[in-house]
Amino acid sequence: MKTPFLIITLAIGANASSAAIAKDGEFFATAELSAGRDVVPADIIENGIDQDRIASVVESEIRLGYDLGPLLLDFGADIAVYPEDSRFNRYAFGPGLRADFPLGENEATKLRLGAEYKYVLGEDGRVFDRPRAEAQLIHRHSKEHTTTGRLRYGFRNQSEDRFTGFDQSEWLAELRHNWRPDGGPTSFNISLLGLKHDAEDNRFSYTGYGFRLVGSTALAEKLTGLARFSVVQRDYEDNFSSLYPVNRSDTHIRATAGLDYQAWDQVSIFTEAGYVSNASNIPVRDFDGFVGRLGLRFSLESR
């Protein structure tokens, strides 16, 4: 593993949570500039025992949208550039929409439906494209407690020019609870996760389960602290390869903590750092190391 470092570079980006800043019938835009180290894309297939799965990356995202109240439309574009190896580079773009449907007179419960399409390019052309659709049932028990059930389906159409067998249907089920003590700015989220990926080649098919914890709290007037911790177990359905003729089994752990400082009205500076471990019975998929990033976040809305 190479010595970890952060590249302090600007890149244009987006934050999906930006919908919250827009008012009914208004355009909004969010952008994020960041750089650091992270896990390389999962579809880079190599069998070298010394393969490094964590690399430096410069990321750039932007999202433009229109908020109509119950209906939100947006378009996003993402760029991830890996200075160490351009084969990892990704250029993604696509539209999305989301609609909320209140259930009941007091609107404490609502149904949220969403869909998106993403087209992803690499240095040598299309990597994959993926449509996704999801449904969420959200119930607000009180100003402190909210529970959400989510089901998402996607289909990844992988470029056959890279390798075959990676086309797959992707299911995600999540049960999430949010707690805001006294209804204030401090927030704790816990999620239980279930995953099912069914690929053309069973060595890429797996069943997974796990949990995720996310917390945030105000540390000062303009400073927010954040922490994330997740564990996901993935068990694959077929032998990994002729060199490793066993069913792959991974335990993926990710733990990060960070700070977000509201430097100006529409601009914040953020940083996060932590550790990723992918304990696997396949040596070329067993890795761990430092991850982190540093960047700027922008949000704009029509007046």
Side-chain angles (χ1 to χ4, degrees):
M1 182 70 61
K2 297 172 181 163
T3 304
F5 63 94
L6 290 176
I7 308 172
I8 305 176
T9 309
L10 295 186
I12 299 178
N15 184 348
S17 64
S18 61
I21 69 169
K23 299 176 183 178
D24 291 359
E26 291 193 342
F27 289 101
F28 68 88
T30 59
E32 194 171 282
L33 317 177
S34 68
R37 289 182 66 84
D38 211 332
V39 179
V40 303
D43 55 35
I44 298 296
I45 303 298
E46 292 183 288
N47 292 319
I49 193 67
D50 295 325
Q51 181 179 349
D52 191 348
R53 302 298 300 180
I54 299 175
S56 58
V57 58
V58 179
E59 295 182 280
S60 163
E61 305 174 6
I62 188 167
R63 176 160 276 103
L64 307 174
Y66 192 67
D67 189 350
L68 294 168
L71 179 65
L72 186 147
L73 307 172
D74 71 356
F75 183 88
D78 312 331
I79 297 174
V81 175
Y82 294 81
E84 298 175 26
D85 195 330
S86 63
R87 293 175 305 155
F88 303 158
N89 293 354
R90 293 290 183 269
Y91 313 96
F93 57 91
L97 60 86
R98 191 193 76 193
D100 287 346
F101 302 93
L103 304 176
E105 294 183 0
N106 60 5
E107 299 187 1
T109 303
K110 63 183 175 181
L111 175 66
R112 174 171 293 172
L113 301 178
E116 67 174 14
Y117 175 77
K118 181 173 286 189
Y119 191 90
V120 181
L121 293 165
E123 293 295 295
D124 56 351
R126 184 179 73 92
V127 180
F128 67 91
D129 62 280
R130 175 166 56 201
R132 278 178 170 170
E134 73 172 35
Q136 299 185 47
L137 186 62
I138 305 168
H139 179 68
R140 183 179 176 88
H141 307 275
S142 65
K143 66 178 183 178
E144 294 188 1
H145 296 280
T146 303
T147 300
T148 301
R150 179 165 73 118
L151 183 64
R152 186 183 72 195
Y153 172 77
F155 182 80
R156 180 180 179 123
N157 180 24
Q158 185 75 25
S159 170
E160 302 297 318
D161 293 336
R162 291 174 170 264
F163 56 91
T164 60
F166 208 69
D167 289 359
Q168 56 192 273
S169 59
E170 305 170 333
W171 289 95
L172 168 68
E174 178 185 10
L175 180 62
R176 179 173 68 246
H177 187 79
N178 176 264
W179 174 42
R180 291 183 175 275
D182 298 321
T186 298
S187 173
F188 299 98
N189 271 283
I190 180 169
S191 294
L192 301 179
L193 305 169
L195 304 97
K196 174 66 174 175
H197 284 213
D198 188 10
E200 286 186 344
D201 186 338
N202 278 342
R203 72 188 180 111
F204 300 123
S205 298
Y206 67 82
T207 300
Y209 56 91
F211 69 92
R212 178 173 57 227
L213 301 173
V214 180
S216 65
T217 189
L219 300 176
E221 182 180 355
K222 296 184 178 182
L223 185 66
T224 300
L226 308 113
R228 310 174 196 270
F229 178 75
S230 63
V231 179
V232 175
Q233 175 67 35
R234 295 185 177 94
D235 296 313
Y236 290 76
E237 297 181 4
D238 204 356
N239 291 346
F240 180 76
S241 66
S242 58
L243 183 61
Y244 304 107
V246 295
N247 289 20
R248 178 180 167 188
S249 181
D250 292 4
T251 303
H252 190 87
I253 300 173
R254 186 180 185 101
T256 61
L259 298 170
D260 188 297
Y261 177 69
Q262 192 71 38
W264 299 278
D265 286 346
Q266 297 174 321
V267 181
S268 61
I269 302 170
F270 67 90
T271 183
E272 64 177 351
Y275 175 79
V276 166
S277 170
N278 196 79
S280 177
N281 62 340
I282 305 299
V284 295
R285 290 296 178 266
D286 187 276
F287 63 87
D288 64 89
F290 168 88
V291 293
R293 61 181 184 147
L294 173 68
L296 299 176
R297 186 176 292 122
F298 301 84
S299 62
L300 302 171
E301 60 181 290
S302 60
R303 298 290 183 180

